[in-house]
Amino acid sequence: GNSVTQMEGPVTLSEEAFLTINCTYTATGYPSLFWYVQYPGEGLQLLLKATKADDKGSNKGFEATYRKETTSFHLEKGSVQVSDSAVYFCALSVLNSGGYQKVTFGTGTKLQVIP
Amino acid sequence: NAGVTQTPKFRVLKTGQSMTLLCAQDMNHEYMYWYRQDPGMGLRLIHYSVGEGTTAKGEVPDGYNVSRLKKQNFLLGLESAAPSQTSVYFCASSYFWDMETGELFFGEGSRLTVL
């Protein structure tokens, strides 16, 4: 089956530090890859996505590149802010044989940024 | 901009009681999903629906039932609540899946405690 593995948190960084959250996946077929972010007390929201190999997704200073050879989709940001404190979920999506979207989530990585 | 709305936001039940969570979306999405979120386990799919009048089981369907009588609403029912169903429940919706989207839109969550 499909699976997503994320680095365990929590990750604590000082403001303006460089962020990397690792994500690797196992999937049959050709998945699309996503990073979702969950701010405290809120639902998940899409941060960025990539739909094919070598695509780079980017949003709000965050980036992730779809690496098929290493089955990875690591999230990076050059300079984090306190407002980036949240839980980050890596996810993959494949078209199931039944014709619907099957999404598999990682366990989430909590990021805490301190001033 | 309502998006996906879940009610109630919080609920405390005693073992054996029943309840229904309501999810409503105003984006005319075909697909709707119910997930549960537990510490260290990410999001797990309970049930989903690919259109009005259809439902299907996800990864962890036992103890839950669902109905989609109207396209905009997706109900999650617990007939006899158990402490193992203490969790945060998220509803999500999406368009028909295609390679360029695949984004899920989430509600804010419903925190359920079963004593």
Side-chain angles (χ1 to χ4, degrees), chain B residues 86-114:
Chain B
T86 294
S87 187
V88 180
Y89 292 85
F90 286 98
C91 178
S93 68
S94 68
Y95 292 106
F96 280 118
W97 188 91
D98 65 64
M99 288 295 291
E100 296 305 313
T101 57
E103 178 180 357
L104 295 177
F105 294 81
F106 283 86
E108 294 183 345
S110 298
R111 183 176 293 276
L112 174 65
T113 301
V114 182

Side-chain angles (χ1 to χ4, degrees), chain A residues 17-109:
Chain A
F18 185 86
L19 169 71
T20 299
I21 300 178
N22 290 337
C23 171
T24 57
Y25 68 89
T26 302
T28 54
Y30 303 94
S32 294
L33 301 175
F34 305 84
W35 278 100
Y36 282 85
V37 59
Q38 183 181 28
Y39 298 104
E42 298 183 10
L44 282 72
Q45 55 186 276
L46 181 66
L47 180 60
L48 53 84
K49 66 182 180 184
T51 58
K52 59 183 185 295
D54 300 326
D55 269 2
K56 176 185 283 189
S58 61
N59 186 24
K60 299 181 180 179
F62 291 89
E63 292 183 341
T65 301
Y66 190 141
R67 300 289 189 197
K68 188 176 181 181
E69 64 276 11
T70 55
T71 62
S72 64
F73 193 55
H74 305 321
L75 182 67
E76 298 181 335
K77 187 175 185 182
S79 176
V80 294
Q81 305 300 313
V82 172
S83 58
D84 294 327
S85 298
V87 181
Y88 292 82
F89 291 89
C90 185
L92 67 84
S93 173
V94 295
L95 184 61
N96 205 317
S97 57
Y100 63 88
Q101 174 183 204
K102 179 175 172 61
V103 182
T104 302
F105 287 89
T107 55
T109 302

